[in-house]
C-alpha cells in the first residue's frame, strides 16, 4: 500500500479539525496525500496546516490556472488511487448522491475511476434524517464505501451516531492493519474475542441484560488486529462501532453467542472471553407480551451455557483467556475461576460503584499459572494494547514450551 495516492476531500464539519492528524497517519503509512477543501471546510481547518503536514499545496478551486491544462479536477481524478472524503457532511453526501458537481471535490469525484470512501460526520438527528439515509443508500449502491459514523459525544453537546470515525480507524479501514514492527506472537494467528452484554428475552418486548458497553472487548479486538492477528469479534448488542478490518459477528442471547463461537472455533488460536454473558435466561420465553396484574410476578430462570468453560474444555483448545468482573474478593475469585474453568489467563477487574462497566477507563489485574501483573487505571484502548501484549507473550511461552516437549520424543524415536 506504500506509495498509494490519496485525494483527501475535506468538507465543512467540525471533525475537519482532525484531518491534519489523518494526513499525518496516512503519510506515516507511506501514502501520498493531496488535500482538497470545500469552501466551508476552511472555516474549520487551515490550508497552511494541511499544506505543512501533507507537503503539497491544498486545492480548493475548480478554476485552477496552475493545474494541468487548467483542469484541476481531471488531473486529480487521474492521479488518485483512492478518494477519501472525511469528514463528509450531509451536504456533500447529497451532492454525490445527485451527481452534482458545483465545486472541485464533487467534480473530481465524478471524473475519477478510483474507489471513493466517505466518512460521514454530522449531528445524530441529521444522520437519522430519512433524506440523509436515502442518500447514504444511493452512495452504497454505487459502491461508495461508507465508514461509520461512530457513536458518542458530539460537538453540539448531544450524543449518538454521527461522529467521524477516528483517524487511526479510517487509516486501518483503507490501508489494512498496521504492519507489526515487533513481530508479535499473535501476528498471523486467529484471535476470537467475545464482547458486550447478552440479552435474554422474557417476552417479545422485554429482556434481561447488564451494563456492559463492549468497550474493553472492542479495544482488545483493535489491538489484536494491530498486532497482525486475524480477528473474529463475536459481539452482543452494543452502541459502539466495531473496529475496522475486524470480522464482527453480532449475536443477542448467550445461546446465540455460544453457537457463533463454536461455529468458528476450529479456526481459532487464541480465545478471549470479554463478554458479560448473562448467567440466566428466562426458562420459557413468552410468545406474547406479559400483561401486568395486581399480583406479584416471579420468573423462572435457567442457567445459560458457559461459553468460556466450553471453549476451555475442548480437546484441542485454543489458548484461552477469561475475564472476572467482581465487586469484592477480586484475587480469590479470579484465581478460583482460572482453575475451575481451566483457563490459561484471567483478567480481573472490580466493577460497580462507578468502576468497570460503561466507563472509558479501567484498571485490571491479570493472573496466569505462575505469574500475575497489575495494570493501573488507564484508557481502555491503552489497556487493550497492554493486554494483547501480555496475552501474546504468554501464548508464545506456552507454544515454545510445547515445542521443547515434542522435540525429545522425535529424536528418541531413532
Ligand atoms: O463465571 P463468570 O461469569 O464470573 O466468568 C466470567 C468469564 O466467563 C468471562 O470471561 C465471561 O466472558 C465468561 N462467561 C461465558 N459464558 C457464560 C458466563 C461467563 O463465556 N455463560
Amino acid at each position: 500500500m506504500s506509495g498509494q495516492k490519496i485525494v483527501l476531500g475535506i468538507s465543512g464539519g467540525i471533525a475537519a479539525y482532525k484531518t491534519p492528524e489523518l494526513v499525518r497517519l496516512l503519510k506515516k503509512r507511506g501514502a501520498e496525500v493531496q488535500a482538497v477543501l470545500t469552501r466551508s471546510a476552511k472555516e474549520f481547518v487551515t490550508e497552511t496546516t494541511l499544506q505543512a503536514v501533507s507537503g503539497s499545496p491544498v486545492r480548493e478551486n475548480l478554476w485552477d490556472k496552475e493545474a494541468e491544462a487548467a483542469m484541476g479536477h481531471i488531473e486529480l481524478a487521474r492521479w488518485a488511487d483512492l478518494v477519501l472524503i472525511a469528514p463528509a457532511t450531509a451536504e456533500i453526501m447529497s451532492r454525490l448522491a445527485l451527481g452534482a458537481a458545483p465545486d472541485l471535490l464533487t467534480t473530481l469525484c465524478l471524473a475519477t475511476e478510483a474507489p471513493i470512501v466517505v466518512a460521514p460526520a454530522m449531528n445524530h438527528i441529521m444522520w437519522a434524517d430519512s433524506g440523509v439515509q436515502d442518500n447514504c443508500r444511493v452512495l452504497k449502491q454505487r459502491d461508495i464505501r461508507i465508514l461509520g459514523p461512530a457513536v458518542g459525544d458530539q460537538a453540539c453537546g448531544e450524543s449518538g451516531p454521527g461522529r467521524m470515525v477516528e483517524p487511526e480507524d479510517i487509516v486501518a479501514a483503507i490501508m489494512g492493519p498496521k504492519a507489526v514492527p515487533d513481530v508479535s506472537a499473535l501476528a498471523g494467528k486467529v484471535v476470537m474475542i467475545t464482547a458486550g452484554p447478552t440479552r435474554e428475552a422474557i417476552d417479545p418486548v422485554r429482556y434481561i441484560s447488564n451494563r456492559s458497553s463492549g468497550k474493553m472487548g472492542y479495544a482488545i479486538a483493535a489491538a489484536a488486529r494491530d498486532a497482525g492477528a486475524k480477528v473474529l469479534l463475536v459481539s452482543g448488542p452494543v452502541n459502539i462501532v466495531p473496529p475496522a478490518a475486524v470480522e464482527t459477528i453480532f449475536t443477542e442471547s448467550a445461546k446465540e453467542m455460544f453457537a457463533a463461537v463454536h461455529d468458528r472455533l476450529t479456526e481459532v488460536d487464541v480465545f478471549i472471553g470479554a463478554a458479560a454473558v448473562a448467567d440466566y435466561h428466562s426458562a420459557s420465553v413468552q410468545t406474547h407480551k406479559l400483561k401486568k396484574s395486581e399480583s406479584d410476578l416471579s420468573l423462572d430462570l435457567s442457567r445459560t451455557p458457559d461459553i468460556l468453560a466450553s471453549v476451555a474444555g475442548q480437546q484441542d483448545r485454543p489458548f484461552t483467556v477469561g475475564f472476572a468482573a467482581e465487586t469484592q474478593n477480586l484475587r480469590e475469585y479470579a484465581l478460583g475461576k482460572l482453575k475451575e474453568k481451566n483457563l490459561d489467563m484471567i483478567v480481573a477487574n472490580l466493577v460497580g460503584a462507578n468502576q468497570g462497566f460503561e466507563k472509558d477507563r479501567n484498571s485490571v489485574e491479570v493472573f496466569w499459572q505462575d505469574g500475575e501483573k497489575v495494570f493501573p487505571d488507564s484508557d481502555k484502548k491503552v489497556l487493550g494494547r497492554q493486554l494483547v501484549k501480555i496475552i501474546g507473550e504468554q501464548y508464545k511461552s506456552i507454544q515454545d514450551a510445547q515445542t521443547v516437549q515434542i522435540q525429545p520424543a522425535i529424536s528418541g524415536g531413532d
Side-chain angles (χ1 to χ4, degrees), residues 243-264:
V246 158
E247 185 179 343
T248 309
I249 302 152
F250 284 103
T251 59
E252 204 161 294
S253 63
K255 208 171 145 199
E256 274 176 36
M257 190 177 270
F258 181 95
V261 164
H262 283 276
D263 193 36
R264 304 287 296 272

Side-chain angles (χ1 to χ4, degrees), residues 194 254 271 273-279 303-309 321-326 337 341 346:
T194 65
F271 177 84
V277 185
D279 292 320
R303 282 300 307 267
T304 52
D306 190 316
I307 303 167
L308 181 66
V321 184
F323 270 68
E326 306 291 351
K337 264 173 218 173
K341 298 201 189 193
I346 190 148

Side-chain angles (χ1 to χ4, degrees), residues 25 105 210 232 397:
L25 293 173
L105 180 56
N210 58 64
L232 300 175
S397 78

